[in-house]
């Protein structure tokens, strides 16, 4: 007989794994977190996600759901009676939220990662300019989507808040490594206030990695091989 138990296969440092964990916390759904080892893939992961073989995977009633943003939507629909909806109420606003979530994954985050890999000042400057251009677009998107409220989703954390907010710990690590503030009160005042609210939310705080711990982890995974 299928169990209604909820499990998340993931890793503490992964921003993509944070997404389902925040969504489950927002809906007050208890779950078991199954920690994967860095550089290894468990049998359960390979069995649960045979196509991409990647984390995160949500297992609910013995059925796996893959891909972080898809999992967030699944959580929102499955536990719709618990807490506010994580997606906007109108089709247009939902489409806009999905558009920006895709932009963040496909354009913004790859640029952020490139800062940590950049070699030489010129390359670093070019990548920083890309990220700052993206931040300016997201500042405007926040003002448009939030309509003067605390979050992209309005009064409560929602789909787009989770899609972007899960990267805030890595953004801090990148700022630390590069010695350059990427989200601040001058260039992106709305995002700066939003980021503080998001990180201090009770659904987010327990799963948001500490900057110092994550920075140590980043040194390992971005370490350059000896010449």
């Amino acid at each position: 007989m299928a169990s209604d138990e909820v499990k998340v296969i993931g890793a503490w440092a992964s921003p993509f794994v944070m997404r389902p964990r925040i969504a489950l916390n927002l809906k007050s759904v208890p779950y078991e977190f199954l920690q994967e080892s860095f550089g290894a893939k468990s049998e359960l992961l390979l069995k649960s996600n045979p196509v991409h073989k990647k984390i995160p995977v949500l297992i609910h009633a013995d059925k796996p759901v893959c891909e972080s943003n898809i999992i967030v939507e699944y959580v929102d629909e499955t536990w719709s009676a618990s807490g506010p909806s994580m997606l906007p109420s109108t089709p247009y606003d939902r489409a806009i939220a999905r558009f920006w979530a895709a932009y963040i994954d496909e354009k913004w985050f790859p640029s952020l990662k490139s800062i940590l890999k950049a070699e030489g000042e010129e390359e670093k400057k070019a990548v920083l300019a890309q990220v700052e251009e993206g931040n300016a677009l997201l500042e405007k998107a926040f003002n448009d989507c939030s309509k003067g409220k605390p979050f992209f989703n309005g009064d409560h954390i929602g789909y787009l808040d989770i899609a972007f907010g899960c990267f805030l710990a890595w953004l801090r690590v990148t700022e630390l490594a590069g010695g350059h503030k990427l989200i601040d009160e001058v260039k992106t005042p709305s995002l700066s206030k939003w980021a503080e609210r998001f990180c201090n939310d009770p659904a987010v705080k327990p799963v948001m990695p500490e900057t110092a711990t994550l920075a140590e982890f980043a040194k390992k995974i971005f370490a350059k091989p000896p010449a």
Side-chain angles (χ1 to χ4, degrees), residues 202-218:
V204 176
K205 211 166 184 177
V207 298
M208 181 69 73
E210 291 286 333
T211 305
T213 310
L214 193 60
E216 283 302 311
F217 178 75

Side-chain angles (χ1 to χ4, degrees), residues 5 20-21 24 51 53 59 65 86-87 93 95 109 111 117 124 129 145 147 153 158 160 170 177 182 198 207 209 223:
E5 284 183 349
R21 297 183 77 189
L24 289 164
V51 177
K53 304 177 176 65
I59 300 175
V65 183
M86 286 183 266
L87 276 159
D93 287 345
F109 185 55
S111 294
K117 296 176 181 176
K124 191 191 246 183
C145 293
K147 300 175 177 71
N153 196 46
L160 185 51
W170 277 104
L182 294 166
F198 181 85
V207 298

Side-chain angles (χ1 to χ4, degrees), residues 41-62:
K41 296 180 192 288
S42 67
E43 281 185 33
L44 181 61
L45 173 60
L46 297 173
K47 177 187 167 189
S48 303
N49 189 359
V51 177
H52 295 301
K53 304 177 176 65
K54 287 181 179 178
I55 54 175
V57 178
L58 176 84
I59 300 175
H60 177 221
D62 296 332

Side-chain angles (χ1 to χ4, degrees), residues 7-12 14-22 24 31 33-34 36 41 44-46 48-50 52-59 64-72 105 162 166:
K7 299 175 183 178
V8 175
I9 305 173
W12 67 271
S14 167
F16 300 101
V17 172
M18 278 189 68
R19 288 174 176 172
R21 297 183 77 189
I22 293 168
L24 289 164
Y31 65 93
F33 184 54
L34 304 175
E36 288 284 303
K41 296 180 192 288
L44 181 61
L45 173 60
L46 297 173
S48 303
N49 189 359
H52 295 301
K53 304 177 176 65
K54 287 181 179 178
I55 54 175
V57 178
L58 176 84
I59 300 175
V65 183
C66 306
E67 296 296 298
S68 60
N69 285 333
I70 292 172
I71 297 171
V72 171
D105 283 358
I162 296 169
C166 70

